[in-house]
């Protein structure tokens, strides 16, 4: 079984391909830059993007939207994670919360799947953790906020230090894709 994934992010594609393979779902990448609406709600953003992707390719398709929600910053950067990463980056995030004792954060992932103009379904995954006090890349390097996110289930290692295989067992993306995979296979 094959599904199209509209994304221009190679790291997301790699993760989604491995995770959905567990459900015997083959991911076909579509390099499509989907417009994103401004909203505080990842679900709303992903629904808009997947609708756009479906109109473009006219085939069943899914998108994934994610964000890092830092408690002491009232959820910032959340839906603005991509922009914040490109502008202030990991160093900027570490500086923003340098003097805060509360380092709690949640990584969220939303999968939106569309197969007709009036059929869109979403799946949410989230992983709780904390923001590290410094950049911890380990041997694998990671991508995005991987070097500063310490998942609770991660034995005090950042996503980057864990490496792809270990990250894929507990990540926010794993949890949303797992729900999607189970739903898709069970139809
Ligand atoms: P978007 O879902 O493409 O809008 O991206 C959100 C941003 O959050 C990305 O550009 C990354 O910087 C970051 N991000 C999302 N998921 C991950 C992840 O699994 N690891 C590290 N950074 C991530």
């Amino acid at each position: 079984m094959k599904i199209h994934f509209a994304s221009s992010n190679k790291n997301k594609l790699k993760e989604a391909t491995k995770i959905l393979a567990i459900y015997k779902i083959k991911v076909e990448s579509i390099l499509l830059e989907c417009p994103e609406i401004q909203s505080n709600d990842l679900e709303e953003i992903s629904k808009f993007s997947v609708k756009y992707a479906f109109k473009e390719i006219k085939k069943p398709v899914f998108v994934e939207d994610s964000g890092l929600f830092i408690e002491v910053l009232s959820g910032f950067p959340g839906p603005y994670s991509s922009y914040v990463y490109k502008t202030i980056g990991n160093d900027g995030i570490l500086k923003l919360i340098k003097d805060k004792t509360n380092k709690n954060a949640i990584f969220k992932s939303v999968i939106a799947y569309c197969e007709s103009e009036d059929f869109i379904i979403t799946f949410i995954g989230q992983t709780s953790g904390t923001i590290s006090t410094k950049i911890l890349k380990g041997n694998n390097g990671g991508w995005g906020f991987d070097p500063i996110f310490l998942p609770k289930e991660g034995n005090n290692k950042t996503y980057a230090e864990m490496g792809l295989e270990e990250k894929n067992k507990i990540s926010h993306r794993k949890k949303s894709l797992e729900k999607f995979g189970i739903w898709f296979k069970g139809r």
Side-chain angles (χ1 to χ4, degrees):
M1 213 171 303
K2 191 171 76 178
I3 332 181
H4 292 89
F5 179 24
S7 173
S8 49
N9 184 323
K10 279 191 224 139
N11 297 297
K12 286 187 181 183
L13 177 65
K14 212 193 265 180
E15 293 182 14
T17 303
K18 287 211 164 199
I19 294 164
L20 288 177
I22 300 168
Y23 305 96
K24 309 257 183 310
I25 297 169
K26 197 170 175 303
V27 174
E28 182 108 344
S29 154
I30 301 272
L31 284 175
L32 190 65
E33 196 73 59
C34 295
E36 283 193 6
I37 49 161
Q38 273 221 333
S39 162
N40 292 330
D41 182 359
L42 283 183
E43 218 176 337
E44 206 182 319
I45 299 170
S46 66
K47 280 182 180 171
F48 182 88
S49 298
V50 83
K51 216 173 189 175
Y52 172 88
F54 181 77
K55 276 190 188 148
E56 285 290 306
I57 70 164
K58 297 183 180 62
K59 284 178 195 148
V61 60
F62 73 96
V63 300
E64 195 261 3
D65 263 295
S66 36
L68 181 65
F69 294 73
I70 301 176
E71 195 171 284
V72 76
L73 302 178
S74 307
F76 181 85
Y80 310 104
S81 291
S82 174
Y83 179 72
V84 168
Y85 180 74
K86 279 188 224 144
T87 50
I88 65 170
N90 286 333
D91 283 319
I93 295 277
L94 294 187
K95 274 189 201 136
L96 277 179
I97 61 163
K98 185 165 60 82
D99 300 321
K100 312 285 184 196
T101 44
N102 177 0
K103 307 263 186 199
N104 293 339
I106 296 177
F107 235 134
K108 289 187 192 167
S109 159
V110 179
I111 301 289
Y113 170 75
C114 178
E115 60 182 24
S116 71
E117 294 254 356
D118 50 0
F119 186 92
I120 297 177
I121 184 166
T122 55
F123 302 88
I124 300 170
Q126 56 183 58
T127 292
S128 302
T130 53
I131 302 297
S132 58
T133 50
K134 55 182 182 186
I135 290 176
L136 297 166
K137 290 192 172 178
N139 297 326
N140 307 292
W143 61 281
F145 299 120
D146 278 356
I148 61 164
F149 185 70
L150 291 158
K152 264 194 195 132
E153 305 142 84
N155 293 325
N156 226 21
K157 282 191 281 188
T158 61
Y159 268 172
E161 291 176 299
M162 294 173 91
L164 190 59
E165 206 150 298
E166 219 181 320
K167 177 185 173 187
N168 273 353
K169 288 188 183 140
I170 56 129
S171 79
H172 51 305
R173 187 161 298 107
K174 183 249 163 155
K175 292 169 187 164
S176 59
L177 285 166
E178 182 175 58
K179 288 181 189 168
F180 175 44
I182 292 170
W183 172 81
F184 196 82
K185 288 298 280 184
R187 321 176 64 196

